[in-house]
């Protein structure tokens, strides 16, 4: 193992990366669940997309991203059952279906993360064509994007008079 990989592994282990990501995903799931069904799919402020569409984007990135972390194929999800449900940004028809898809991707992340060799995290990748960077940089982008959209969800919920889940409660 080279010294860069050793140093990175001493800061965050793959298990810590998985747990941190899943902590964010758990919080975002609670934000999805806090929405009334109609508003999840229809409510918008200032031309932003409804939160169901944003949540579907996050689902798509996670489903295809975890496969990309393992295989460097960023176009497909890890299983056909998930891949057939994350073709684009169109969310499932109901909140219950969206939450089930979210949960199914969560299971896939837990299944796939232990299979990713630690040295992959420093490999330069071009996740979704967003530009070359170390794979850990793509993971940070996934988190940044989720935080950004979750913040939009918080604004929506507050404007609807709904108290969102505490942002610090990720575990």
């Amino acid at each position: 193992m080279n010294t860069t990989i050793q140093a990175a592994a001493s800061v965050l282990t793959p298990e810590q990366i998985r747990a941190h990501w899943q902590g964010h995903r758990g919080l975002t799931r609670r934000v999805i669940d806090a929405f009334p069904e109609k508003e999840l799919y229809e409510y918008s402020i200032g031309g932003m997309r409804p939160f169901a569409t944003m949540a579907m984007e996050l689902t798509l990135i996670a489903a295809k991203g975890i496969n990309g972390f393992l295989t460097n194929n960023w176009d497909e999800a890890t299983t056909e059952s998930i891949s057939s449900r994350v073709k684009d940004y169109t969310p499932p028809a109901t909140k219950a279906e969206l939450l089930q898809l979210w949960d199914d991707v969560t299971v896939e992340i837990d299944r796939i993360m232990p299979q990713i060799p630690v040295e992959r995290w420093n490999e330069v990748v071009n996740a979704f064509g967003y530009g070359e960077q170390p794979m850990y940089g793509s993971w940070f982008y996934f988190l940044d994007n989720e935080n950004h959209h979750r913040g939009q969800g918080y604004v929506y919920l507050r404007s609807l008079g709904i108290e969102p889940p505490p942002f610090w409660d990720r575990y």
Side-chain angles (χ1 to χ4, degrees):
M1 182 181 295
N2 73 37
T3 56
T4 303
I5 294 169
Q6 285 176 325
S10 69
V11 175
L12 278 178
T13 67
E15 172 54 25
Q16 290 168 320
I17 291 171
R18 185 206 60 77
H20 189 78
W21 190 10
Q22 293 291 41
H24 280 279
R25 287 181 49 76
L27 178 54
T28 302
R29 187 193 193 286
R30 290 191 299 280
V31 170
I32 296 167
D33 198 33
F35 274 86
E37 184 103 17
K38 182 177 188 285
E39 286 76 7
L40 177 64
Y41 285 86
E42 297 178 9
Y43 192 71
S44 175
I45 297 175
M48 293 189 299
R49 299 173 290 169
F51 195 66
T53 305
M54 293 180 210
M56 191 61 199
E57 174 187 321
L58 301 174
T59 302
L60 187 140
I61 288 171
K64 292 183 177 186
I66 192 63
N67 187 54
F69 288 154
L70 181 64
T71 68
N72 210 28
N73 174 354
W74 304 93
D75 297 323
E76 297 295 328
T78 55
T79 66
E80 179 56 38
S81 68
I82 291 177
S83 190
S84 66
R85 295 183 284 162
V86 293
K87 293 179 188 267
D88 59 28
Y89 296 111
T90 305
T94 68
K95 179 167 80 169
E97 291 173 306
L98 179 58
L99 289 170
Q100 184 59 60
L101 178 57
W102 189 272
D103 293 344
D104 292 346
V105 172
T106 296
V107 168
E108 280 298 285
I109 291 169
D110 285 343
R111 183 179 74 80
I112 295 297
M113 284 292 286
Q115 299 176 45
I116 300 170
V118 68
E119 59 272 6
R120 283 268 303 141
W121 292 98
N122 282 310
E123 284 182 21
V124 174
V125 299
N126 189 355
F128 305 117
Y130 294 153
E132 292 187 346
Q133 62 183 328
M135 194 169 77
Y136 67 81
S138 294
W139 177 72
F140 281 124
Y141 167 79
F142 294 0
L143 290 181
D144 291 345
N145 190 50
E146 184 165 341
N147 288 333
H148 164 72
H149 288 310
R150 189 172 59 234
Q152 291 172 307
Y154 274 60
V155 169
Y156 284 6
L157 289 172
R158 288 190 187 281
S159 72
L160 290 165
I162 300 168
E163 181 69 24
F167 75 89
W168 61 86
D169 188 9
R170 291 193 321 265
Y171 300 101

